[in-house]
Amino acid sequence: MVSKKMEKALNKQITAEMYSAYLYAAMGAHFDAQNLDGFAKWMRAQAAEEMEHAMKFYGYVVETGGRVIFEAIDKPPADFGKPEKVFEEVLKHERKVTRLINALVELARDEKDYATDNFLQWFVAEQVEEEAVADGILQKLKMIGEHPHGIFMMNAKLGERKES
Ligand code: FEO
C-alpha cells in the first residue's frame, strides 16, 4: 500500500513517461520528414521503451492497491533542427527525467516506503544508461559536424536498433 501522496506522484510519473514517448515519437516524425529513416527508427524504439516505462509505473500502482489516473499529455514540438540539436534535446530531457526519478526516491525515503524505493531503483539504473546512450550519440554527432557522409553512416548505425 502506498500513501495517497506517493500514489499521486507515481501517477504524475506515468504522464511524464508517456510524454517522453510522445516526444521521441515526434522526433522520429521529424527525422522521417528528412528521410533519415535510421534516426527515425531509433526514435520509435525509444518511444516504445518509454511506453514500457509508463506501464511499469502503471503496474506498480495497481499492484500496490492504488488507482491509475491519466492526465493530459503536453504537445511536443514538431521541429527539432539538425541531428546534433535533437540529441542535445534528448540528453536534456533524460537529465530532467533523472531528476524526477530522484525526487520520487526522496519522497519514498521520506515516507519510509521501502517497497517503492526498491521499485524505483530499476529506474535509477535505467537513467544512468539512458543518459550515457544519449550522450554517446551526441558526442559522435559533434565529431561528425556537418559532414553528410558521417550523418549517413550514423543513420545506418542507428537504424540497426531493434523495434520491440
Ligand atoms: Fe523513461 Fe527515458 O526515461
Side-chain angles (χ1 to χ4, degrees):
M1 192 72 196
V2 295
S3 71
K4 278 287 154 207
K5 193 174 172 186
M6 180 56 82
E7 181 187 301
K8 208 172 159 195
L10 292 168
N11 266 303
K12 229 174 144 193
Q13 191 61 28
I14 294 175
T15 307
E17 298 290 345
M18 286 188 174
Y19 176 74
S20 298
Y22 215 25
L23 176 67
Y24 293 140
M27 287 176 175
H30 163 85
F31 282 129
D32 265 322
Q34 299 177 353
N35 295 316
L36 288 169
D37 59 334
F39 279 93
K41 191 177 168 197
W42 192 94
M43 285 296 174
R44 280 199 303 276
Q46 189 65 20
E49 210 177 278
E50 297 299 350
M51 274 311 287
E52 280 175 25
H53 293 173
M55 297 315 283
K56 236 183 220 291
F57 277 102
Y58 179 123
Y60 183 74
V61 170
V62 171
E63 201 182 355
T64 51
R67 172 76 164 92
V68 170
I69 302 200
F70 290 145
E71 286 171 33
I73 302 168
D74 290 341
K75 181 182 173 179
D79 293 303
F80 298 89
K82 57 184 185 173
E84 187 183 322
K85 282 269 161 269
V86 182
F87 274 87
E88 269 171 12
E89 282 307 308
V90 172
L91 183 58
K92 205 166 105 189
H93 183 71
E94 286 304 329
R95 284 181 176 154
K96 185 177 155 196
V97 174
T98 299
R99 288 196 294 276
L100 295 178
I101 298 291
N102 288 347
L104 286 172
V105 173
E106 275 167 39
L107 177 61
R109 290 185 182 179
D110 279 353
E111 295 195 345
K112 299 193 190 321
D113 180 349
Y114 301 114
T116 301
D117 185 357
N118 182 56
F119 165 75
L120 290 167
Q121 291 312 305
W122 184 90
F123 286 94
V124 171
E126 176 72 4
Q127 283 311 118
V128 173
E129 195 191 316
E130 294 270 70
E131 285 191 32
V133 169
D135 195 34
I137 296 170
L138 176 60
Q139 295 315 316
K140 285 191 187 84
L141 287 169
K142 278 185 194 292
M143 276 190 273
I144 289 166
E146 303 288 334
H147 298 287
H149 185 67
I151 298 289
F152 182 77
M153 299 274 284
M154 199 66 184
N155 186 58
K157 182 85 197 133
L158 293 181
E160 289 170 8
R161 183 171 179 180
K162 296 269 175 293
E163 285 184 80
S164 52

